[in-house]
Amino acid sequence: MEKIKIQLYTNFNHKEETEEFLAIKEDDVIKYIDLENNKMTVDIRNNIIIKENSDYHFTMDFNTNNIIIKLKKHNRVFDKPIETLFKETKKETYRVVYKLLDENIINEYHMKFL
């Protein structure tokens, strides 16, 4: 396990952000807390991103092309289909571009290791 610095570019629902975070890396799993206090886990080998806070738990699986959303307080689960348009894993970067099929929106998640 090691501490690393990452630069994150996201474009979710037409909202672009670029930030730097301190993260923990263990094998191919990166963990950090984002600016909205969400616990983020990125499993690079399995192409899964997990975003969790006190209200919900998102699991974005880019191999099975779906997003599972669990609303904790209401005990409800939603399964949203996606289309993974692009996946790239290199030594210094991890990037995924996907389309939310029911909303016809293209999102991007791009992590660089600094």
Side-chain angles (χ1 to χ4, degrees):
M1 183 177 346
E2 65 178 303
K3 291 183 182 181
I4 62 170
K5 194 171 192 180
I6 60 172
Q7 180 182 55
L8 191 62
Y9 166 80
T10 57
N11 185 351
F12 294 139
N13 300 327
H14 306 292
K15 183 180 176 187
E16 293 183 74
E17 293 182 352
T18 302
E19 299 292 336
E20 289 186 6
F21 297 99
L22 288 176
I24 296 173
K25 181 180 183 206
E26 187 170 353
D27 298 323
D28 288 331
V29 177
I30 312 296
K31 294 182 180 184
Y32 65 95
I33 296 177
D34 71 10
L35 295 176
E36 296 173 356
N37 213 27
N38 296 305
K39 296 177 190 174
M40 301 294 296
T41 302
V42 181
D43 185 337
I44 294 170
R45 182 181 314 132
N46 295 309
N47 292 306
I48 294 173
I49 298 175
I50 298 171
K51 179 178 185 177
E52 182 177 9
N53 65 27
S54 61
D55 297 325
Y56 59 81
H57 182 277
F58 279 85
T59 301
M60 297 175 263
D61 189 329
F62 302 106
N63 291 333
T64 62
N65 285 309
N66 70 339
I67 299 174
I68 303 294
I69 305 164
K70 295 179 185 176
L71 299 176
K72 293 179 178 181
K73 292 180 182 175
H74 301 289
N75 200 24
R76 298 203 50 194
V77 177
F78 301 94
D79 188 346
K80 294 181 66 126
I82 62 173
E83 179 183 352
T84 303
L85 303 174
F86 181 80
K87 288 187 289 191
E88 178 180 60
T89 304
K90 293 183 177 178
K91 184 176 180 178
E92 300 297 325
T93 189
Y94 176 72
R95 182 174 173 226
V96 177
V97 179
Y98 62 96
K99 181 178 184 179
L100 298 171
L101 295 177
D102 58 350
E103 298 176 33
N104 202 27
I105 295 174
I106 295 177
N107 289 339
E108 180 176 356
Y109 182 91
H110 187 184
M111 179 189 313
K112 289 183 183 179
F113 307 111
L114 303 176

